[in-house]
């Protein structure tokens, strides 16, 4: 009834069961524990033998090979097969089957058939073989489960072992890192200890080296400088680490070794220098040498080994430095050794050079051209000494670094020059020679103080430092001679009769072309050749051709000067710029002051011999000349005049005596502190201010006295008379003024050459005359108003009437004839038309104008 292809596909056949019961060829893979390099024991109980037994067990109880039953192709095919079987059975039995009428019956029938088929399919499984197979499979699965559990336990044990190994590895790694760090620390500590110990390890080898026989020969090598540098490093280390136990001891020993090394350098330097000097001295003593051979011996021979000895000397020089933080004035530790090198070199060179300098200076002093001439001797001898000093300067730089100690040696070389030049300067009485010497020294050998620093060559000999003592001697002698001339020929000058013969002396020395009979009417120069006095410093010398130098007859001009004025200008012009500015200012103030006093005395003597006007004009003329000349000398400073004021002492004494407490001890403190000591009073004496004041005084005296002679008829003394007539007094004043003005101009022409000055003085006299008349007219008008009479208005009125001030002023201007640049108003002061008030004091300016 069922198709074999479809039915038996659901149930395995007996053959198939036999195949399943037969041993299979299945084999598990090699256990993970049995693989190579994986023998790590988790807990120590798992061995290779147990693993092999379990693998044999697994092979005996392995499951049968699975086989798949053939499945029916489809449900429809199965349905058709069933119906075919049923028809066949019905035909064979000869029975007629019940017909299926509906789907329900078919479903019921199909359910029955299906149960039968299912029951039939289970027949084979109910057999004993199938049950055994299931039991075998069950046991296999249980064995597999137990094996899996054991494997999991092994894996868990391995995991724990791996964790322990990882922990141990981590701990080992940390221990290794700690050991490496400790190794680095110990290594660094060892290096530091070795580095610190090396400064202590140098002591013994250096001590043996420096104290060995023949240690002086070791100075020449390069290793000696390295050894000294190492000693410096050791000393620096010991100084910077004072807390180390043996630092102080080693520092003192290293310092002794350094001193020993530098002493060896000094000994080697001195011995080498002495050998060279002895060789040169022996060659010089053997035969006569010319200048070229002498120079080769003295300088070329010394330059042969100079570089080597210079390097050795630098080892001392760079250590002879005052340390930082030292007290002011402290000396470097090895300065004495360096000074010994300088002293030894200077003494050695001095024994060779100074005798030659002494011999040469003596030859120059005995030469005919220089034996009696100070300037010629100074020029030749200083030139020679400068050449020697220049050669010695260059040689010094070949032996030493820097100029320290050089100029002390060069001063000893210049001593023979000082020994010859100083006595000549002291015994020189001619001021001109002293001036020439100072000029020579300043212009040729002294360095200009105003010169820029960039222009000065620092590697060049500063000869001005060496020649400065000679210049100071010459300047001191020059100042002394100036003071002597000031005392003898200005302050104590006794004038001769011809020096005071004025105004006759003016006619004898009047300059050609300087006379002008008429007033200056414009600011232009006159066509006549006029010669004015020089306004620049003039050096008056009897041997000079002054006319050729200044372009006019200077001798004639100076002959009209008073001898003290001429000597004063001569002194100022000579010492100007030859002495220190402060010294010159003091001398200039004293010269001007004494000259002013001398001119005052001469003016009084002239007044006693001649007219007062001549004395005043003489003084005015010479003061103007003096003022013009000193302007060019640039006198800047003021001389202090110190005096003591004892007024406080006497005032305090009398005050205590009046109060009755003179002997009270409590008042002694006040007496001592407040009034016992005199006060020091400094009065600043300025010669220029003194000269200006004296000029103002003499100008006022001259204008006042001249105006008084013209207007004495209207003076208060004349007005006090009973029979005084104002009109007659005015007429007399007019006559005297008209008479005196030509005389005034004539006198001014005799004494003064500058037309502007003369016209200004005439204008000053005119103003003073008008001021005197204004005073008279105010008195006259006041008297008229007191009596009730009328005062005349502006205008001349009758000839016998009194003029008003303005009318008299207009008349005075016509009479005096002051025009152009001579007027006061042209110089910045008020003219008559601008202001009624007039002030003539202080009307002379620096150039002589009013």
């Amino acid at each position: 009834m069922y198709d074999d292809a479809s039915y038996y596909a659901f149930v395995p056949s007996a053959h198939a069961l036999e195949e399943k019961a037969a041993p299979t060829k299945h084999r598990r893979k090699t256990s993970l524990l049995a693989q190579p390099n994986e023998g790590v024991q988790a807990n120590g109980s798992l061995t290779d033998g147990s693993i092999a037994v379990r693998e044999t067990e697994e092979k005996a109880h392995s499951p049968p090979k699975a086989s798949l039953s053939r499945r029916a192709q489809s449900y429809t095919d199965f349905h058709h097969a069933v119906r075919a079987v049923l028809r066949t059975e019905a035909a064979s039995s000869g029975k007629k089957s019940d017909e299926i009428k509906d789907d329900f019956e078919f479903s019921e029938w199909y359910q029955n058939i299906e149960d039968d088929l299912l029951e039939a399919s289970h027949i084979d499984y109910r057999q004993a073989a199938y049950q055994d197979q299931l039991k075998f499979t069950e046991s296999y699965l249980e064995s597999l489960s137990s094996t899996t559990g054991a494997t999991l336990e092994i894996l868990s044990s391995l995991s724990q072992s791996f964790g322990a190994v990882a922990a141990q590895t981590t701990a080992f790694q940390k221990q290794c890192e700690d050991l490496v760090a400790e190794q680095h620390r110990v290594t660094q500590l060892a290096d530091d200890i070795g580095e610190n110990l090396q400064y202590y390890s140098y002591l013994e080898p250096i001590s043996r080296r420096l104290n060995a026989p023949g240690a002086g020969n070791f100075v020449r090598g390069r290793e000696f400088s390295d050894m000294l540098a190492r000693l410096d490093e050791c000393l620096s280390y010991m100084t910077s680490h004072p807390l180390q136990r043996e630092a102080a001891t080693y520092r003192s020993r290293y310092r002794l070794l350094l001193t020993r090394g530098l002493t060896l350098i000094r000994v080697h330097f001195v011995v080498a220098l002495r050998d060279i000097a002895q060789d040169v001295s022996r060659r010089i003593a053997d035969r006569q040498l010319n200048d070229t051979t002498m120079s080769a011996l003295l300088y070329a021979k010394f330059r042969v080994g100079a570089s080597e000895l210079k390097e050795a000397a630098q080892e001392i020089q760079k250590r002879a430095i005052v340390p930082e933080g030292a007290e002011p004035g402290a000396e470097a530790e090895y300065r004495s050794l360096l000074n010994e090198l300088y002293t030894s070199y200077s003494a050695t060179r001095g024994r060779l050079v100074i005798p030659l300098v002494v011999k040469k200076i003596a030859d120059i002093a005995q030469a005919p051209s220089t034996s009696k001439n100070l300037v010629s001797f100074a020029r030749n001898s200083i030139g020679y000494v400068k050449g020697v000093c220049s050669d010695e300067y260059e040689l010094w730089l070949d032996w030493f670094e820097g100029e320290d100690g050089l100029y002390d040696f060069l001063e000893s070389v210049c001593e023979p020059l000082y020994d010859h030049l100083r006595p000549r300067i002291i015994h020189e009485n001619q001021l001109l020679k002293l001036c020439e010497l100072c000029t020579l020294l300043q212009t040729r050998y002294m360095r200009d103080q105003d010169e820029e620093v960039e222009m000065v060559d620092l590697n060049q000999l500063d000869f001005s430092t060496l020649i400065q003592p000679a210049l100071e001697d010459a300047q001191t002698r020059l100042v002394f001679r100036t003071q002597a001339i000031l005392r003898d020929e200005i302050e104590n000058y006794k004038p001769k009769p011809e020096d005071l013969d004025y105004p006759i002396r003016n006619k004898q020395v009047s300059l050609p072309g300087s006379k002008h009979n008429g007033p200056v009417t414009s600011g232009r120069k006159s066509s006549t050749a006029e010669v004015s006095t020089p306004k620049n410093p003039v050096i008056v010398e009897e041997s000079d051709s002054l006319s050729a130098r200044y372009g006019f007859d200077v001798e004639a001009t100076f002959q009209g000067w008073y001898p003290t004025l001429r000597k004063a200008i001569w002194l100022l012009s000579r010492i100007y710029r030859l002495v220190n500015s402060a010294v010159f200012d003091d001398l200039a103030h004293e010269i001007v002051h004494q000259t002013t006093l001398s001119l005052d005395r001469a003016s009084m003597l002239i007044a006693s011999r001649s007219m007062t006007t001549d004395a005043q004009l003489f003084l005015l003329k010479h003061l103007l000349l003096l003022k013009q000349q000193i302007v060019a000398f640039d006198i800047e400073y003021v001389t202090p005049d110190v005096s003591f004021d004892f007024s406080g002492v006497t005032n305090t004494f009398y005050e205590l005596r009046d109060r009755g407490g003179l002997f009270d001890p409590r008042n002694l403190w006040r007496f001592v502190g407040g009034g016992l000591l005199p006060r020091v009073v400094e009065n600043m004496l300025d010669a220029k201010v003194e000269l200006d004041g004296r000029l103002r005084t003499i100008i006022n005296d001259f204008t006042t006295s001249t105006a008084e002679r013209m207007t004495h008829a209207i003076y208060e003394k004349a007005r006090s008379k009973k029979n005084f007539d104002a009109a007659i007094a005015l007429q007399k004043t007019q006559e005297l003024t008209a008479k005196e003005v030509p005389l005034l101009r004539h006198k001014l022409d005799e004494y003064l050459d500058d037309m502007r000055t003369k016209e200004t003085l005439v204008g000053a006299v005119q103003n003073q005359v008008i001021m005197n008349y204004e005073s008279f007219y105010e008195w006259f008008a006041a008297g008229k108003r007191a009596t009730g009479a009328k005062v005349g208005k502006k205008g001349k009125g009758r000839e016998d009437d009194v003029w008003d001030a303005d009318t008299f002023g207009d008349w005075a201007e016509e009479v005096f004839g002051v025009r152009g640049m001579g007027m006061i108003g042209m110089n910045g002061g008020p003219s008559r038309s601008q202001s009624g008030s007039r002030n003539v004091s202080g009307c002379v300016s620096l150039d002589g104008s009013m």
Side-chain angles (χ1 to χ4, degrees):
M1 126 180 169
Y2 295 98
D3 188 10
D4 295 335
S6 60
Y7 178 77
Y8 291 103
F10 292 95
V11 181
S13 62
H15 179 69
L17 293 174
E18 292 178 359
E19 290 180 356
K20 293 179 180 178
T24 62
K25 299 181 180 180
H26 174 72
R27 186 172 182 180
R28 295 176 67 248
K29 293 182 180 181
T30 307
S31 173
L32 180 64
L33 298 177
Q35 291 180 2
N37 300 326
E38 296 293 341
V40 180
Q41 304 296 325
N43 53 9
S45 62
L46 182 60
T47 60
D48 295 339
S50 63
I51 295 174
V53 172
R54 290 193 178 185
E55 287 183 357
T56 306
E57 246 180 14
E58 289 176 359
K59 292 180 181 179
H61 298 285
S62 59
K65 185 177 182 181
S67 59
L68 298 177
S69 299
R70 184 177 181 185
R71 185 179 63 85
Q73 296 181 358
S74 66
Y75 181 77
T76 306
D77 295 337
F78 179 71
H79 178 68
H80 292 304
V82 172
R83 295 194 63 169
V85 171
L86 290 177
R87 284 196 299 270
T88 305
E89 288 180 355
S92 64
S93 62
K95 298 182 180 180
K96 189 176 181 180
S97 62
D98 295 335
E99 295 181 2
I100 299 173
K101 298 179 180 180
D102 49 18
D103 291 334
F104 178 74
E105 293 178 357
F106 176 78
S107 175
E108 183 179 0
W109 174 81
Y110 177 77
Q111 185 67 33
N112 295 329
I113 294 300
E114 189 176 15
D115 292 339
D116 294 339
L117 291 175
L118 181 60
E119 184 67 22
S121 64
H122 289 171
I123 294 175
D124 295 335
Y125 290 98
R126 291 191 180 100
Q127 296 177 3
Y130 184 69
Q131 292 179 355
D132 295 336
Q133 186 179 2
L134 291 177
K135 291 179 180 180
F136 174 73
T137 302
E138 182 181 4
S139 64
Y140 172 74
L141 293 175
E142 291 177 357
S143 175
L144 182 60
S145 175
S146 62
T147 303
T148 302
T151 303
L152 290 176
E153 292 178 359
I154 294 173
L155 292 176
S156 177
S157 177
L158 287 175
S159 177
Q160 294 176 358
S161 300
F162 288 156
V165 170
Q168 294 175 3
T169 304
T170 303
F172 180 72
Q173 181 181 1
K174 185 177 180 181
Q175 292 177 1
C176 291
E177 291 177 353
D178 294 341
L179 290 175
V180 171
E182 182 67 16
Q183 180 185 4
H184 289 320
R185 187 186 68 82
V186 173
T187 303
Q188 183 66 31
L189 180 62
D191 294 340
D192 294 340
I193 293 175
E195 183 179 356
N196 293 332
L197 287 178
Q198 69 175 351
Y199 295 105
Y200 292 89
S201 62
Y202 293 142
L203 180 63
E204 294 300 329
I206 293 178
S207 299
R208 291 193 300 269
R209 200 77 175 270
L210 292 179
N211 294 319
N217 298 327
F218 180 53
V219 176
R220 298 176 179 271
R222 178 64 183 175
E223 296 80 4
F224 190 79
S225 299
D226 298 338
M227 183 187 65
L228 294 179
R230 194 173 298 112
L231 284 174
D232 291 334
E233 294 176 0
C234 294
L235 282 172
S236 178
Y237 176 83
M238 299 303 168
T239 304
S240 60
H241 297 80
L243 299 180
Q244 294 183 3
R245 179 176 299 177
E246 300 294 332
T249 303
Y250 275 79
R251 182 174 65 250
S252 61
R253 297 184 66 180
Y254 278 134
R255 193 171 299 280
L256 290 175
L257 291 176
L258 182 60
T259 304
R260 169 64 176 168
L262 298 181
T263 304
L264 290 177
I265 292 178
R266 190 256 301 169
V267 172
H268 171 68
F269 185 93
V270 172
V271 170
L273 183 64
R274 183 184 58 197
D275 294 341
I276 297 174
Q278 289 178 355
D279 185 18
V280 172
S281 300
R282 184 175 60 256
R283 293 188 180 186
I284 293 176
D286 289 343
R287 56 187 181 277
Q288 297 293 332
L289 302 176
N290 54 22
D291 294 339
T292 305
T293 308
M294 185 71 70
S295 176
L297 283 176
L298 288 177
Y299 296 101
K301 183 69 175 177
F302 272 83
R303 286 189 174 94
V304 174
S307 59
E308 177 186 351
L309 295 176
K310 181 178 181 180
E311 293 179 358
Q314 285 179 350
E315 297 295 336
I316 300 178
Q317 189 173 9
K318 65 185 180 182
R319 291 171 177 82
I321 300 176
V322 179
E324 296 182 359
E327 297 181 358
E331 186 177 358
E333 183 176 2
Y334 299 107
R335 184 68 188 181
S336 59
L337 290 176
L338 183 61
N339 291 336
E340 289 181 12
L341 297 185
Y342 294 155
T343 304
S344 176
Y345 177 86
S346 301
T348 302
R349 290 295 302 175
R351 286 192 294 269
L352 296 174
V353 176
I354 292 178
L356 301 178
V357 175
V358 172
K359 182 176 181 301
K360 183 66 176 179
I361 295 297
D363 294 342
I364 296 175
Q366 295 175 2
S369 60
T370 58
S371 59
K372 296 182 180 180
N373 193 329
L374 173 63
V375 179
S376 298
F377 170 77
R379 184 183 295 109
N380 295 336
S381 59
I382 293 175
Y384 168 74
V385 172
K386 182 180 180 182
V388 174
C389 291
S390 298
D391 296 336
E392 292 298 326
Y393 178 85
E394 296 176 357
L395 184 61
W396 178 281
L397 295 182
D398 292 336
W399 280 75
F400 300 102
E401 184 70 25
E403 300 177 358
D404 191 16
L406 168 62
Y407 286 94
D408 294 336
F409 164 62
L410 294 182
E411 286 180 1
S412 63
V413 176
C414 295
E415 282 298 328
L417 172 65
Y418 300 151
D419 294 340
H420 283 79
L421 188 59
R422 186 176 290 113
R424 288 172 175 260
I425 293 175
I426 294 175
H427 292 88
E428 182 61 55
N429 292 323
Q430 295 185 18
L431 188 69
L432 295 179
K433 296 296 182 181
L434 295 173
C435 293
E436 290 180 10
L437 178 60
C438 292
T439 303
L440 173 68
L441 296 178
Q442 287 182 343
T443 55
R444 295 189 60 178
Y445 304 110
M446 299 301 296
R447 180 178 296 176
D448 190 0
Q449 299 296 332
D450 298 332
E451 186 178 2
E452 297 182 0
V453 180
E454 293 79 2
M455 301 298 293
V456 179
D457 187 4
L458 299 179
N459 294 324
Q460 186 178 3
L461 173 65
D462 185 11
F463 190 69
S464 59
T465 305
L466 302 175
I467 206 63
Q468 183 68 31
L471 177 61
E472 292 176 355
D473 292 341
Q475 289 176 337
T476 303
R477 181 62 179 172
L478 177 62
V479 171
F480 176 78
R481 289 302 304 156
T482 301
Q483 292 174 340
I485 294 174
L486 173 63
R487 180 185 64 252
D488 298 337
E489 301 187 25
I490 296 180
E491 184 178 358
N492 299 327
Y493 178 73
K494 302 297 182 182
K496 301 176 182 179
E498 58 269 19
D499 295 335
L500 304 175
D501 192 9
Y502 286 90
I504 298 176
R505 185 173 176 81
N506 289 330
K507 298 178 181 180
Q508 297 175 353
V509 298
S510 60
L511 292 175
S514 61
K515 284 276 187 176
H516 291 273
N517 296 326
V520 177
T521 58
S522 66
R524 297 182 180 180
K525 295 183 178 179
S526 174
S527 59
T528 306
E530 178 184 350
V531 179
S532 60
T533 57
K535 295 184 180 181
N536 294 326
V538 177
I539 300 177
V540 184
E541 297 179 18
E542 289 144 5
S543 60
D544 290 347
S545 178
L546 299 178
S547 299
R549 179 185 298 182
Y550 297 105
F552 61 94
D553 193 358
V554 180
E555 290 294 338
T557 301
F558 290 153
Q559 287 178 2
W561 292 7
Y562 191 66
T564 57
L565 174 62
R566 177 173 179 171
K567 185 61 68 175
I569 301 303
W570 181 79
L571 282 177
L572 290 175
S573 62
R574 273 304 176 184
I575 67 175
Y576 185 56
R577 297 187 184 280
L578 295 182
V579 295
N580 184 269
S581 59
V583 177
F584 173 78
D585 290 332
D586 291 339
L587 287 175
H589 283 288
E590 185 65 23
I591 290 173
V592 172
H593 175 68
Q594 294 298 334
T595 304
T596 304
L597 296 180
S598 175
L599 293 175
D600 282 337
R601 292 192 296 268
S603 175
M604 289 186 292
L605 292 175
I606 292 174
S608 63
R609 295 165 56 98
S610 182
M611 297 176 58
T612 305
T613 303
D614 292 324
Q616 292 173 343
L617 289 177
F618 163 81
L619 182 59
L620 177 61
K621 170 187 175 180
H622 286 81
L623 291 179
L624 287 175
L625 290 173
L626 180 60
K627 186 176 181 63
Q628 290 174 357
Q629 292 298 313
I630 67 173
V631 168
F633 292 112
D634 210 9
I635 304 174
E636 295 291 341
Y637 298 94
V638 179
T639 304
D641 183 17
V642 182
S643 61
F644 295 96
D645 183 9
F646 292 90
S647 60
V649 178
T650 56
N651 293 336
T652 304
F653 178 81
Y654 287 116
E655 180 182 355
L656 294 177
R657 188 188 64 177
D658 295 339
R659 292 182 179 180
L662 179 61
F663 299 101
D664 190 354
R666 292 176 298 177
N667 292 331
L668 292 179
W669 292 105
R670 179 173 177 268
F671 186 69
V672 172
L676 179 62
L677 299 178
R679 294 186 299 107
V680 179
V681 181
E682 292 188 0
N683 298 319
M684 306 308 290
L685 177 62
D686 192 340
K688 293 193 295 185
V689 175
E690 180 187 10
L691 181 58
D692 290 339
R694 193 70 187 92
L695 266 174
R696 285 193 294 268
T697 301
I698 191 61
I699 290 173
N700 287 332
D701 293 344
F702 173 74
T703 55
T704 301
S705 62
T706 304
E708 184 179 358
R709 288 198 305 270
M710 296 181 182
T711 59
H712 71 88
I714 57 177
Y715 259 44
E716 183 177 0
K717 183 177 181 180
R719 296 197 302 263
S720 62
K721 296 180 180 181
K722 295 182 178 180
N723 56 352
F724 177 75
D725 188 352
I728 297 176
L730 173 60
Q731 184 178 3
K732 189 173 181 180
T733 299
Q734 292 174 345
E735 293 175 355
L736 289 175
T737 302
K739 178 181 178 181
E740 288 291 334
V741 168
L743 296 177
L744 171 64
R745 289 189 174 277
H746 179 70
K747 281 291 182 183
L748 293 177
D749 289 339
E750 288 181 351
Y751 285 92
L752 302 176
D753 299 326
D754 185 66
M755 289 300 158
R756 185 183 182 87
T757 305
K758 291 187 290 187
E759 290 300 315
T760 306
L761 288 174
V762 172
V765 174
Q766 171 189 319
N767 288 339
Q768 187 64 39
V769 169
I770 295 174
M771 290 173 64
N772 292 342
Y773 187 82
E774 287 177 352
S775 177
F776 160 73
Y777 186 75
E778 289 177 359
W779 171 83
F780 176 76
K784 285 287 186 179
R785 284 191 291 269
T787 58
K790 295 182 178 180
V791 181
K793 298 181 179 180
K794 183 178 180 181
K796 291 185 178 181
R798 301 193 312 271
E799 293 183 359
D800 57 349
D801 197 4
V802 177
W803 294 349
D804 62 277
D806 292 336
T807 303
F808 184 84
D810 296 337
W811 175 84
E813 289 181 357
E814 295 178 359
V815 173
F816 281 91
V818 179
R819 296 291 186 274
M821 62 181 178
M823 297 180 65
I824 297 293
M826 297 295 291
N827 284 333
S831 65
R832 182 180 175 274
S833 61
Q834 294 173 345
S835 176
S837 62
R838 299 165 180 85
N839 184 11
V840 297
S841 63
C843 54
V844 175
S845 63
L846 295 178
D847 58 353
S849 61
M850 300 296 287

